[in-house]
Amino acid sequence: DAGVIQSPRHEVTEMGQEVTLRCKPISGHDYLFWYRQTMMRGLELLIYFNNNVPIDDSGMPEDRFSAKMPNASFSTLKIQPSEPRDSAVYFCASSLRDRLPKKAVDTQYFGPGTRLTVL
Amino acid sequence: AQSVTQLGSHVSVSEGALVLLRCNYSSSVPPYLFWYVQYPNQGLQLLLKYTTGATLVKGINGFEAEFKKSETSFHLTKPSAHMSDAAEYFCAVGKRNFGNEKLTFGTGTRLTIIP
């Protein structure tokens, strides 16, 4: 089975430019998560979706960040305009939850990440 | 609110020695607890998880962790370190009421294996 797929793996851009990160979750999974990892702040949850609907975006740092999930197999995280402090590794993860027994606990499967550098 | 504290951002052990990575959590409700491993330039991979029942949980690659409610701890151990265990390890806590939709991660512990 293909795991979570993220593209690009590396992105270098200049301050002020728009950046779009892409994620394809594992087929059949009903939750999708976007995380950011930095040395200073560790791994932070930005936003997550359930059945393509955003559930909690309280971790999105600013209005410059936006995320969409137009269908069950694709999500984007956009930064516009980008700033040097946005430099980080961005991870997408997916899980299967809704069809599990009520008390079961799902597992989040992570993609390889996109390393973003904003100059 | 939940939180996770991993004691020691860097741990070095000799090959063949015991690995002990510490994790303490804070949660207002009984937690779900996880250990993830991250190899260089890769995403996180689940090592093991505690949800309910037996407090000693066995995971992949010979790792195990014990949930100790009285100590609010979930330390990760492996009897004999291997060079391939060199990686960063993250402890995480999930909110029981919502499965594990929201995980709070610790800051990670980088494990170095000395030949």
Side-chain angles (χ1 to χ4, degrees):
Chain A
D1 279 343
V4 175
I5 299 172
Q6 292 187 247
S7 64
R9 291 296 309 276
H10 302 272
E11 177 79 39
V12 180
T13 190
E14 293 188 347
M15 183 173 64
Q17 296 298 306
E18 177 180 296
V19 175
T20 299
L21 310 181
R22 296 172 176 80
C23 174
K24 177 179 171 55
I26 293 172
S27 177
H29 281 193
D30 44 36
Y31 276 84
L32 183 138
F33 307 82
W34 281 101
Y35 290 89
R36 178 173 68 175
Q37 185 180 40
T38 62
M39 290 292 292
M40 293 298 295
R41 301 174 67 90
L43 197 63
E44 305 171 278
L45 177 64
L46 300 177
I47 184 171
Y48 73 93
F49 296 81
N50 177 216
N51 292 322
N52 315 336
V53 176
I55 302 301
D56 186 343
D57 65 354
S58 60
M60 296 286 262
E62 300 172 32
D63 291 345
R64 298 185 296 107
F65 286 70
S66 62
K68 294 182 179 179
M69 192 165 185
N71 58 62
S73 59
F74 184 65
S75 177
T76 60
L77 178 67
K78 186 175 293 186
I79 308 172
Q80 166 64 19
S82 59
E83 296 183 3
R85 60 194 169 118
D86 301 331
S87 298
V89 180
Y90 291 82
F91 289 103
C92 176
S94 69
S95 72
L96 174 64
R97 175 73 182 96
D98 289 346
R99 277 167 280 175
L100 294 180
K102 186 176 181 180
K103 293 186 178 181
V105 175
D106 60 321
T107 295
Q108 293 186 22
Y109 294 86
F110 283 73
T114 295
R115 183 174 296 277
L116 173 64
T117 302
V118 183
L119 303 174
Chain B
Q2 304 170 109
S3 66
V4 175
T5 301
Q6 291 185 241
L7 298 176
S9 58
H10 291 84
V11 171
S12 296
V13 302
S14 298
E15 190 175 14
L18 171 71
V19 175
L20 171 60
L21 304 183
R22 299 178 187 274
C23 172
N24 288 90
Y25 69 90
S26 172
S27 177
S28 57
V29 297
Y32 297 146
L33 294 162
F34 306 79
W35 276 100
Y36 280 83
V37 60
Q38 184 180 27
Y39 298 103
N41 300 315
Q42 295 187 25
L44 279 70
Q45 177 184 1
L46 181 69
L47 270 179
L48 50 80
K49 65 182 177 184
Y50 168 78
T51 57
T52 187
T55 57
L56 182 62
V57 181
K58 294 187 184 298
I60 61 172
N61 302 338
F63 284 93
E64 61 183 34
E66 186 170 11
F67 169 60
K68 292 187 176 181
K69 184 178 179 180
S70 61
E71 299 177 7
T72 61
S73 69
F74 191 56
H75 301 331
L76 181 71
T77 61
K78 181 173 180 177
S80 177
H82 191 273
M83 294 301 294
S84 61
D85 295 328
E88 187 145 20
Y89 293 79
F90 293 89
C91 182
V93 59
K95 287 189 71 172
R96 178 169 286 273
N97 288 344
F98 301 98
N100 78 335
E101 293 93 87
K102 288 192 73 167
L103 294 181
T104 300
F105 284 86
T107 52
T109 298
R110 185 170 299 277
L111 177 64
T112 300
I113 309 299
I114 304 167

